[in-house]
Amino acid sequence: MKAVARTPRRPAPKKPSHPSLKDPVGVYCRVRPLSGPDQEGCIEVINETTVQIHPPDRYRIFRNGEYRETQYSFKEVFGTLVAQKELFDVVAKPLVEDLIHGKNGLLFTYGVTGSGKTHTMTGSPGDGGLLPRCLDMIFNSIGPFQAKRFVFKLDDKNGVDVQCEVDALLERQKRDAMPVPKIPSGKRQIDPEFADMINVQDHCKVEEVDEDNVYSVFVSYIEIYNNYIYDLLEEAPFEPIKPKWNNCNTPVRNGDFIPPQSKMLREDQNHNMYVTGCTEVEVKSTEEAFEVFWRGQKKRRIAHTQLNRESSRSHGVFIIKLAQAPLDADGDNVLQEKEQITLSQLSLVDLAGSERTNRTKAEGNRLREAGNINQSLMTLRTCIEVLRENQMYGTNKMVPYRDSKLTHLFKNYFDGEGKVRMIVCVNPKAEDYEESLQVMRFAEMTQEVEVARPVDRPLCGLTPGRRFRNQAFREELSQKLELRGGPKNGETEEQSVTEMFLQNFPPLPSCELLDVNDDQTLPRLIEVLEKRHKTRQMLLKEFGKNVLAFKTALQEFDSSVVSKENYIQGKLSEKEKTIAGQKMELERLEKKIKTLEYKIEILEKTTTIYEDDKRNLQQELESKSQKLQRQASDKRRLEARLQGVVAETAMKWEKECERRVAAKQLEMQNKLWVKDEKLKQLKAIVTEPKIEKPERPSRERDREKPVQRSVSPSPVPSAPPVRPRHRRSRSAGERWVDHKPPSNLPTETVMQPHVPHAITVAAASEKALAKCDKYMLTHQELASDGEIETKLIKGDVFKTRGGGQAVQFTEIETLKQESPTGRKRRSSPNPEPPEDAADSECTDVETRCSVALEMRAGSALGPGYQHHAQPKRRKP
Ligand code: ADP
Ligand code: MG
């Protein structure tokens, strides 16, 4: 039976099933050690994810000593001491796990020539690289579950077919019968140089391998050189070689190495790229797979030397395909259903050196080829750039995959789904500085490209554990057969039956009749034959019994199987019921979770709103309190300033008052002096008109004794020497001359001086003086404040020796009328129409006038001085 199955390996890239699930390209960096201890380096590993690159010394000279270090970050950075195993565990292991779970992967090394790409991918003897380790892990994982050779058959359109084991066996026999090409197998053919490489002895395996599947591994190895694809596993043709042109336009002569024909790239129905007519070898062990790889590697080397190619300019692509299909319900054979086959592939690519300059100074063809190789890496860079731009900025630029074979082959991965990982290899030596910078830049950019995450393949729907149950059944059956005398372990059924027969039958005697008279041989033969017949009968009986027993055993087994099946069925339906219940419960819980999530979302939103509010309010509060504090401090400052101002003003005013008082005093003294003078003159006029004028004392002298003069009744120095002849008692009947010059104005003062028994005169009169012993002159003048000041100048009257009268002035009494509020009227709370000063004085004497009775020191009111009215003060 043959089912032609072309598996849908992954959904068409145009419609990814999970468009949102994408992973960035994993970029790792490996720094190889320097060749010698005194070699100048320009790259340091900073930490697990960062490398730093600095310009070597000679660049510093070129750039005026400018020294700029640059750091680049990757998913992980592997330093010089990192072992191949460690690198494999981190970078390649997940890809192998994906491969076994039916997902695609691409792993490539990128870097300049000599940076360790091949060392990383292939490794060296005793230190296998990623490729042998991947193979080892694959076979460690699927080893016991591998399908027989040719059960899976790859077709020429990148699909896979499945056939039953019998067909596979027939095909095997057919192929074995063919003389060539022979599929080599076994460890003995491995190049001893690299036998060590596959001896990784890691025993590393994938944890979760579907044991109910059968697996087959196919490998192919191609080389891309000068934008041509060559199949490195293609067998050489047998026909004698005819001269023809190889790809490098050089004629090929008889006996020469036959250059391989370049291959075409095609896209299969699932939009995967594949090399048409490429040899894909089914391999059953790590050794076999690596041997195939090594065969291709040798061919590659030969091609390089024979065709004068530069090996560093070619890309090596090793493709591992894994076909897997589930076992049928019995767990015995592969399920012959095309939809159930999964084909996944892991491509391991050792890229050409990324250097832009041609280090080997190639000429002619080789230069052109080198240019082409460069072109393919350039295209790779462009593709990655455009992809990144499209993904980052949502543009829809066409990615130029078709511009080179390499990128066209990679299209699967970048445009479709799968894991893409790149190992950037760098040589820290100073000579590679500029190239390494380019490499780092490209690598950093590559990290920003995302590739759709592969989806898990659907389950086949058959009960798991089929392989295990089938094995258990076989073991039980063989045990039972053994118990009933069946074939023991290790021996075939035919062998044991023959032996049993040989044991049960007596040996036949010789039946050769040599003598005519021999009458013993035949009877003996007859006897033996009869015995044998009897034994046969017995054996037949036994056989019949055994058959019966076997039948019953079989029936028993059948019934027990049926009952077991029933039991299992019952259990299964029970379990199904429980599962259904649980599913319902799950759905309910999911719904609840959704509602709760919705609620949480709303609550979170509300919380955010409240928090925002709170923040705003807090901010407001803070600003307000700050404002308040500012105001309080302003207030305090103002208060302090005001206090200062007040104190200052008070002091100023005090000083001003003092100054004014002093000025007033001075003025008053001067006036007094003037008055004195006048009075003296007056006296001279009154008493002795012929007395010569007194000398005017100096101001200073006058100022020295103002009080004395006015207070003590000492004689006026300028006055003639008079001695009071007689001093009349003051207590009784003193007579006054009240001299009121007619020029005086009526002052309307309430308190008017009133002198009883006085002779009032308008001008000085000798007659009046002769009759009296006291004299008083009422003198008016305009004070500095504009008010009329009335002065009562008093003195004693003496008789002079010449029989005349003299007055000695003893005191001056000043009467002054002034406004209590100063000259300007204050506005009252009830605004009244303004009146002129005279009017207001008449109407409101009490409030606005007060009589200031200013008495000179030592002066007393005269006895006849009476108050006409007491000044009343209005209560405040
Ligand atoms: P590429 O393939 O990039 O041109 P190779 O892998 O051929 O470079 O490496 C060049 C040389 O450097 C080889 O001799 C290799 O053994 C050595 N080498 C590279 N990487 C390492 C490493 N990580 N540790 C030790 N030696 C290395
Ligand atoms: Mg290399």
Side-chain angles (χ1 to χ4, degrees), residues 104-124:
N104 294 341
L106 167 67
L107 172 62
F108 62 99
T109 50
Y110 184 91
V112 298
T113 301
S115 58
K117 297 185 296 297
T118 309
H119 176 81
T120 300
M121 195 54 88
T122 314
S124 48

PDB file of all heavy atoms in Angstrom, residues 104-124:
ATOM      1  N   ASN A 104      10.391  24.607  11.742  1.00  0.00           N
ATOM      2  CA  ASN A 104      11.584  24.896  10.940  1.00  0.00           C
ATOM      3  C   ASN A 104      12.555  25.811  11.682  1.00  0.00           C
ATOM      4  O   ASN A 104      12.162  26.574  12.560  1.00  0.00           O
ATOM      5  CB  ASN A 104      11.187  25.590   9.642  1.00  0.00           C
ATOM      6  CG  ASN A 104      10.377  24.670   8.764  1.00  0.00           C
ATOM      7  OD1 ASN A 104      10.406  23.450   8.946  1.00  0.00           O
ATOM      8  ND2 ASN A 104       9.659  25.239   7.823  1.00  0.00           N
ATOM      9  N   GLY A 105      13.816  25.735  11.263  1.00  0.00           N
ATOM     10  CA  GLY A 105      14.832  26.588  11.872  1.00  0.00           C
ATOM     11  C   GLY A 105      15.966  26.871  10.919  1.00  0.00           C
ATOM     12  O   GLY A 105      16.238  26.091  10.005  1.00  0.00           O
ATOM     13  N   LEU A 106      16.583  28.028  11.133  1.00  0.00           N
ATOM     14  CA  LEU A 106      17.738  28.411  10.322  1.00  0.00           C
ATOM     15  C   LEU A 106      18.818  28.916  11.265  1.00  0.00           C
ATOM     16  O   LEU A 106      18.559  29.738  12.143  1.00  0.00           O
ATOM     17  CB  LEU A 106      17.342  29.529   9.345  1.00  0.00           C
ATOM     18  CG  LEU A 106      18.482  30.261   8.629  1.00  0.00           C
ATOM     19  CD1 LEU A 106      19.195  29.334   7.659  1.00  0.00           C
ATOM     20  CD2 LEU A 106      17.956  31.475   7.870  1.00  0.00           C
ATOM     21  N   LEU A 107      20.001  28.375  11.083  1.00  0.00           N
ATOM     22  CA  LEU A 107      21.126  28.816  11.911  1.00  0.00           C
ATOM     23  C   LEU A 107      22.288  29.102  10.978  1.00  0.00           C
ATOM     24  O   LEU A 107      22.675  28.249  10.192  1.00  0.00           O
ATOM     25  CB  LEU A 107      21.497  27.708  12.909  1.00  0.00           C
ATOM     26  CG  LEU A 107      22.760  27.913  13.726  1.00  0.00           C
ATOM     27  CD1 LEU A 107      22.657  29.143  14.602  1.00  0.00           C
ATOM     28  CD2 LEU A 107      23.028  26.698  14.608  1.00  0.00           C
ATOM     29  N   PHE A 108      22.791  30.327  11.039  1.00  0.00           N
ATOM     30  CA  PHE A 108      23.943  30.626  10.186  1.00  0.00           C
ATOM     31  C   PHE A 108      25.025  31.394  10.917  1.00  0.00           C
ATOM     32  O   PHE A 108      24.772  32.098  11.889  1.00  0.00           O
ATOM     33  CB  PHE A 108      23.522  31.323   8.892  1.00  0.00           C
ATOM     34  CG  PHE A 108      22.846  32.655   9.059  1.00  0.00           C
ATOM     35  CD1 PHE A 108      23.559  33.828   8.910  1.00  0.00           C
ATOM     36  CD2 PHE A 108      21.495  32.743   9.327  1.00  0.00           C
ATOM     37  CE1 PHE A 108      22.937  35.065   9.024  1.00  0.00           C
ATOM     38  CE2 PHE A 108      20.863  33.974   9.443  1.00  0.00           C
ATOM     39  CZ  PHE A 108      21.587  35.137   9.294  1.00  0.00           C
ATOM     40  N   THR A 109      26.254  31.179  10.429  1.00  0.00           N
ATOM     41  CA  THR A 109      27.395  31.888  11.009  1.00  0.00           C
ATOM     42  C   THR A 109      27.779  32.989  10.034  1.00  0.00           C
ATOM     43  O   THR A 109      27.758  32.792   8.826  1.00  0.00           O
ATOM     44  CB  THR A 109      28.589  30.949  11.213  1.00  0.00           C
ATOM     45  OG1 THR A 109      28.824  30.232  10.009  1.00  0.00           O
ATOM     46  CG2 THR A 109      28.344  29.983  12.327  1.00  0.00           C
ATOM     47  N   TYR A 110      28.120  34.137  10.600  1.00  0.00           N
ATOM     48  CA  TYR A 110      28.424  35.307   9.779  1.00  0.00           C
ATOM     49  C   TYR A 110      29.699  35.937  10.313  1.00  0.00           C
ATOM     50  O   TYR A 110      29.904  36.038  11.515  1.00  0.00           O
ATOM     51  CB  TYR A 110      27.252  36.285   9.872  1.00  0.00           C
ATOM     52  CG  TYR A 110      27.378  37.519   9.001  1.00  0.00           C
ATOM     53  CD1 TYR A 110      26.877  37.533   7.710  1.00  0.00           C
ATOM     54  CD2 TYR A 110      27.991  38.669   9.490  1.00  0.00           C
ATOM     55  CE1 TYR A 110      26.984  38.668   6.921  1.00  0.00           C
ATOM     56  CE2 TYR A 110      28.093  39.808   8.697  1.00  0.00           C
ATOM     57  CZ  TYR A 110      27.587  39.800   7.410  1.00  0.00           C
ATOM     58  OH  TYR A 110      27.695  40.922   6.628  1.00  0.00           O
ATOM     59  N   GLY A 111      30.565  36.334   9.424  1.00  0.00           N
ATOM     60  CA  GLY A 111      31.802  36.986   9.863  1.00  0.00           C
ATOM     61  C   GLY A 111      32.841  36.975   8.773  1.00  0.00           C
ATOM     62  O   GLY A 111      32.642  36.372   7.707  1.00  0.00           O
ATOM     63  N   VAL A 112      33.946  37.627   9.059  1.00  0.00           N
ATOM     64  CA  VAL A 112      34.993  37.693   8.036  1.00  0.00           C
ATOM     65  C   VAL A 112      35.753  36.363   8.000  1.00  0.00           C
ATOM     66  O   VAL A 112      35.611  35.539   8.904  1.00  0.00           O
ATOM     67  CB  VAL A 112      35.975  38.862   8.298  1.00  0.00           C
ATOM     68  CG1 VAL A 112      35.269  40.180   8.246  1.00  0.00           C
ATOM     69  CG2 VAL A 112      36.679  38.686   9.614  1.00  0.00           C
ATOM     70  N   THR A 113      36.547  36.163   6.980  1.00  0.00           N
ATOM     71  CA  THR A 113      37.321  34.931   6.858  1.00  0.00           C
ATOM     72  C   THR A 113      38.297  34.845   8.033  1.00  0.00           C
ATOM     73  O   THR A 113      38.930  35.836   8.390  1.00  0.00           O
ATOM     74  CB  THR A 113      38.078  34.932   5.518  1.00  0.00           C
ATOM     75  OG1 THR A 113      37.109  35.032   4.482  1.00  0.00           O
ATOM     76  CG2 THR A 113      38.890  33.669   5.338  1.00  0.00           C
ATOM     77  N   GLY A 114      38.340  33.690   8.612  1.00  0.00           N
ATOM     78  CA  GLY A 114      39.254  33.465   9.729  1.00  0.00           C
ATOM     79  C   GLY A 114      38.671  33.833  11.070  1.00  0.00           C
ATOM     80  O   GLY A 114      39.343  33.765  12.090  1.00  0.00           O
ATOM     81  N   SER A 115      37.379  34.199  11.083  1.00  0.00           N
ATOM     82  CA  SER A 115      36.791  34.614  12.365  1.00  0.00           C
ATOM     83  C   SER A 115      36.239  33.426  13.151  1.00  0.00           C
ATOM     84  O   SER A 115      35.835  33.577  14.301  1.00  0.00           O
ATOM     85  CB  SER A 115      35.686  35.635  12.118  1.00  0.00           C
ATOM     86  OG  SER A 115      34.697  35.081  11.284  1.00  0.00           O
ATOM     87  N   GLY A 116      36.221  32.252  12.535  1.00  0.00           N
ATOM     88  CA  GLY A 116      35.790  31.054  13.268  1.00  0.00           C
ATOM     89  C   GLY A 116      34.414  30.542  12.887  1.00  0.00           C
ATOM     90  O   GLY A 116      33.793  29.820  13.662  1.00  0.00           O
ATOM     91  N   LYS A 117      33.949  30.865  11.696  1.00  0.00           N
ATOM     92  CA  LYS A 117      32.619  30.399  11.274  1.00  0.00           C
ATOM     93  C   LYS A 117      32.616  28.876  11.116  1.00  0.00           C
ATOM     94  O   LYS A 117      31.755  28.195  11.662  1.00  0.00           O
ATOM     95  CB  LYS A 117      32.236  31.036   9.927  1.00  0.00           C
ATOM     96  CG  LYS A 117      32.103  32.528   9.969  1.00  0.00           C
ATOM     97  CD  LYS A 117      31.618  33.090   8.658  1.00  0.00           C
ATOM     98  CE  LYS A 117      32.596  32.871   7.516  1.00  0.00           C
ATOM     99  NZ  LYS A 117      33.886  33.535   7.678  1.00  0.00           N
ATOM    100  N   THR A 118      33.602  28.377  10.380  1.00  0.00           N
ATOM    101  CA  THR A 118      33.660  26.940  10.148  1.00  0.00           C
ATOM    102  C   THR A 118      33.972  26.210  11.452  1.00  0.00           C
ATOM    103  O   THR A 118      33.406  25.143  11.722  1.00  0.00           O
ATOM    104  CB  THR A 118      34.723  26.622   9.067  1.00  0.00           C
ATOM    105  OG1 THR A 118      34.461  27.463   7.939  1.00  0.00           O
ATOM    106  CG2 THR A 118      34.676  25.187   8.640  1.00  0.00           C
ATOM    107  N   HIS A 119      34.822  26.816  12.253  1.00  0.00           N
ATOM    108  CA  HIS A 119      35.147  26.213  13.549  1.00  0.00           C
ATOM    109  C   HIS A 119      33.877  26.080  14.388  1.00  0.00           C
ATOM    110  O   HIS A 119      33.659  25.065  15.051  1.00  0.00           O
ATOM    111  CB  HIS A 119      36.168  27.090  14.273  1.00  0.00           C
ATOM    112  CG  HIS A 119      36.495  26.612  15.642  1.00  0.00           C
ATOM    113  ND1 HIS A 119      37.399  25.606  15.884  1.00  0.00           N
ATOM    114  CD2 HIS A 119      36.017  26.991  16.854  1.00  0.00           C
ATOM    115  CE1 HIS A 119      37.472  25.400  17.185  1.00  0.00           C
ATOM    116  NE2 HIS A 119      36.644  26.220  17.795  1.00  0.00           N
ATOM    117  N   THR A 120      33.041  27.086  14.307  1.00  0.00           N
ATOM    118  CA  THR A 120      31.801  27.063  15.087  1.00  0.00           C
ATOM    119  C   THR A 120      30.817  26.051  14.512  1.00  0.00           C
ATOM    120  O   THR A 120      30.205  25.287  15.250  1.00  0.00           O
ATOM    121  CB  THR A 120      31.175  28.473  15.098  1.00  0.00           C
ATOM    122  OG1 THR A 120      32.112  29.367  15.694  1.00  0.00           O
ATOM    123  CG2 THR A 120      29.888  28.514  15.883  1.00  0.00           C
ATOM    124  N   MET A 121      30.688  26.033  13.191  1.00  0.00           N
ATOM    125  CA  MET A 121      29.668  25.182  12.586  1.00  0.00           C
ATOM    126  C   MET A 121      30.104  23.719  12.530  1.00  0.00           C
ATOM    127  O   MET A 121      29.368  22.825  12.930  1.00  0.00           O
ATOM    128  CB  MET A 121      29.359  25.709  11.171  1.00  0.00           C
ATOM    129  CG  MET A 121      28.093  25.147  10.589  1.00  0.00           C
ATOM    130  SD  MET A 121      26.656  25.368  11.648  1.00  0.00           S
ATOM    131  CE  MET A 121      26.083  26.959  11.133  1.00  0.00           C
ATOM    132  N   THR A 122      31.315  23.494  12.039  1.00  0.00           N
ATOM    133  CA  THR A 122      31.763  22.108  11.863  1.00  0.00           C
ATOM    134  C   THR A 122      32.615  21.636  13.035  1.00  0.00           C
ATOM    135  O   THR A 122      32.490  20.505  13.490  1.00  0.00           O
ATOM    136  CB  THR A 122      32.594  21.999  10.559  1.00  0.00           C
ATOM    137  OG1 THR A 122      31.903  22.696   9.535  1.00  0.00           O
ATOM    138  CG2 THR A 122      32.799  20.573  10.148  1.00  0.00           C
ATOM    139  N   GLY A 123      33.485  22.511  13.483  1.00  0.00           N
ATOM    140  CA  GLY A 123      34.363  22.141  14.586  1.00  0.00           C
ATOM    141  C   GLY A 123      35.660  21.569  14.073  1.00  0.00           C
ATOM    142  O   GLY A 123      35.963  21.616  12.883  1.00  0.00           O
ATOM    143  N   SER A 124      36.415  21.054  15.002  1.00  0.00           N
ATOM    144  CA  SER A 124      37.699  20.457  14.635  1.00  0.00           C
ATOM    145  C   SER A 124      37.796  19.110  15.340  1.00  0.00           C
ATOM    146  O   SER A 124      36.992  18.818  16.234  1.00  0.00           O
ATOM    147  CB  SER A 124      38.818  21.410  15.056  1.00  0.00           C
ATOM    148  OG  SER A 124      38.602  21.815  16.382  1.00  0.00           O
TER     149      SER A 124
END
